[in-house]
Amino acid sequence: MIPGMTETSGQDAEATTDAEATTGERPEPTARERWAAVRRRGARRLNRAAAGDSLRERLADLAEAGAGVYDLDEPADIYGNRIVADLEERVAALLGTEDAAFFPSGTMAQQVALRCWAARTGNPAVALHPLAHPEVHERNALSQVSGLRPVHVGSGISQPTAAEIRGLEEPFGALMLELPLRDAGFVLPTWEELTELVEAARERDAVVHLDGARLWECTEYFGRPLAEIAGLADSVYVSFYKSLDGLGGAALAGPRTLVEEARTWRHRYGGQIFQQFPTALSALIGLERALPRLPEYVRHARVVAGALREGFAEAGLPWARVHPEVPHTHEFQVWLPYAPEVVAEAALRQAEETSVALFPGHWSGAAGPGMACTEMSVQEPGLEWTAEEVRAAVRDFVRRLPGRD
C-alpha cells in the first residue's frame, strides 16, 4: 500500500480484479490510482484542475456558483435559446464582434468557420503552423471532414513571421493563427509581429481566423483588451474549458452574416444539441470567476518559471529548460534530460511522500530521445507559492531522479 494511503469504502473498496480474486491480494495501484489518492489527500499544487473533481463536487459548484451569475429559476434552454443565447451575447460583447455562436466543441467551430470562409474566398487552402491544433490533435479533420487543404507556414517552436506569410509559394484563402501556440510552448508573437502577420495575410487577399482557444490568457502579454486583439481578425474561436474551467463548449465570433451561416453548418455537423445549460452555465461562471484573474496568474507564472530555472541550476541538473524562459501566458513547458516514465515516477513519489505535487503526472517524449516534456499551469493555488518554495520543491524533486541521491 502507498505510504499514507488509507482504505476507502464504497466503489473503490468493493472493486476487485481477476488477479485479486485468484491470489487474494490487491494488485499494485496504477499511476492513475496513485494520483487520485494524492488528490484526495489534498497535495499542494500550482494549479487546480476542476476536471479532476468528482461528479458531486462539480454539480455542487455548478449550483452554488451558478446562482451568482444567472437566474436559476429561468427555464432551461432548448436548441440554443435562453441561457445559451445569453452566453453568446456576452461573448460577442467581450470580443467586440457583431455576433457569436455557441458550439459543443472547438474542433467543430473552427471547421465550420474555415469552410465558410473557403466558400466566400473561393480557396480551400488554409495557411497554419505545423504545430497548430488542427494539425496535431484533430486527426486531419480539416481535410477529411471539411474538404479544406492545410498549407504549413512557419516551423519550430515560434509563431509564423510576416516574411513567411508573404513568401508562401501558393495562394491561400485563410490564415489561421493559434494564440497562444500551445504545442510550441504557449508562445505568442509580439503585438507588432501580430499586426504584421495580419497585414501580410491581407496583402495575399486572405482572411484571418484566430484559434483563440486560450485567447483569454493573452491580454497581459499584449497589453491590450480582448476586443482589440480579436478585432485584428475576421473571426475568432474561444474555448470555455481551456483557461476558464468550464465543462466544455466553445464560441465562434465574427460578423453577423458569417455567424448566421455558421449556425446552419453547426446544425449540419450535429452540433444543434437539445439542451446545453450545464455547459453554458459553467462558461458564464468561468467568465465571471476565472477570466478576471488570468492576468494575475500570468504574472505569477513568470515568478514560478524563474524559480524553476534557479532551482534546477542550484540542484546541479546538467540540462533543464523552461520554455519560454519568461512565459507568455500562465502556461509553459519544462524539458528534462530523462525518459518520460522516469520523471513521471519521480513527480508522483514526491507528491506521495511530501504532499507537494510540483509537477503533473503526464510527461511526453516528443522532445526527443532521452528527453521528457511537460506542461505547467499556474492558477489560483500557485499564487500562494513563493519563489523560495518553488526552488526548494525543485531541489527535493531532483533528489528523486536516478543518480541524484
Side-chain angles (χ1 to χ4, degrees), residues 151-223:
V151 176
H152 290 172
V153 59
S155 61
I157 54 173
S158 60
Q159 290 276 355
T161 66
E164 289 170 330
I165 297 297
R166 294 186 175 102
L168 274 177
E169 295 181 352
E170 59 179 303
F172 53 94
L175 169 66
M176 195 203 85
L177 296 172
E178 183 178 331
L179 301 179
L181 186 55
R182 179 239 179 129
D183 282 281
F186 304 94
V187 297
L188 291 163
T190 65
W191 180 255
E192 292 73 21
E193 289 168 341
L194 179 58
T195 56
E196 288 180 15
L197 281 167
V198 172
E199 182 181 346
R202 305 276 192 238
E203 292 172 5
R204 300 291 302 266
D205 295 323
V207 298
V208 177
H209 170 75
L210 296 184
D211 177 341
R214 296 173 173 84
L215 191 74
W216 315 113
E217 308 170 14
C218 299
T219 56
E220 178 70 15
Y221 180 83
F222 286 135

Side-chain angles (χ1 to χ4, degrees), residues 70-154:
Y70 201 80
D71 184 355
L72 300 186
D73 291 321
E74 284 290 310
D77 61 298
I78 296 177
Y79 289 124
N81 66 358
R82 297 169 181 154
I83 188 172
V84 176
D86 291 345
L87 174 61
E88 292 173 337
E89 290 181 11
R90 175 79 184 277
V91 170
L94 280 170
L95 299 178
T97 58
E98 290 182 345
D99 203 355
F102 182 88
F103 277 78
S105 77
T107 297
M108 183 187 295
Q110 295 211 114
Q111 284 192 61
V112 166
L114 292 170
R115 77 172 300 151
C116 288
W117 284 126
R120 294 178 179 215
T121 64
N123 189 334
V126 179
L128 74 174
H129 194 283
L131 291 180
H133 195 278
E135 292 299 270
V136 179
H137 300 287
E138 297 178 15
R139 299 190 177 188
N140 303 311
L142 290 183
S143 58
Q144 296 301 310
V145 178
S146 298
L148 302 169
R149 185 163 56 85
V151 176
H152 290 172
V153 59

Side-chain angles (χ1 to χ4, degrees), residues 272-392:
Q272 188 76 352
I273 309 299
F274 179 52
Q275 289 192 315
Q276 299 187 95
F277 65 89
T279 304
L281 183 59
S282 73
L284 288 169
I285 292 169
L287 291 173
E288 182 73 20
R289 184 168 61 186
L291 181 59
R293 303 207 67 183
L294 286 172
E296 185 180 12
Y297 298 166
V298 175
R299 292 191 292 270
H300 198 63
R302 296 166 183 166
V303 175
V304 171
L308 286 170
R309 292 197 310 272
E310 293 164 1
F312 287 129
E314 292 170 3
L317 199 64
W319 195 98
R321 293 291 185 273
V322 174
H323 174 71
E325 286 194 359
V326 178
H328 296 177
T329 74
H330 71 291
E331 299 173 289
F332 55 92
Q333 294 176 339
V334 170
W335 298 357
L336 296 177
Y338 292 90
E341 61 273 15
V342 170
V343 189
E345 177 62 20
L348 179 50
R349 284 197 295 110
Q350 180 182 36
E352 290 173 334
E353 296 166 10
T354 70
S355 289
V356 173
L358 176 63
F359 295 112
H362 177 72
W363 291 76
S364 167
M371 290 295 301
C373 179
T374 195
E375 295 177 340
M376 304 290 289
S377 178
V378 177
Q379 296 172 312
E380 184 176 3
L383 300 178
E384 299 177 359
W385 290 61
T386 66
E388 176 50 38
E389 288 173 328
V390 173
R391 289 191 292 268

Side-chain angles (χ1 to χ4, degrees), residues 259-274:
V259 175
E260 288 174 352
E261 182 182 358
R263 288 191 173 101
T264 298
W265 280 104
R266 179 183 64 188
H267 198 167
R268 290 168 176 161
Y269 271 66
Q272 188 76 352
I273 309 299
F274 179 52

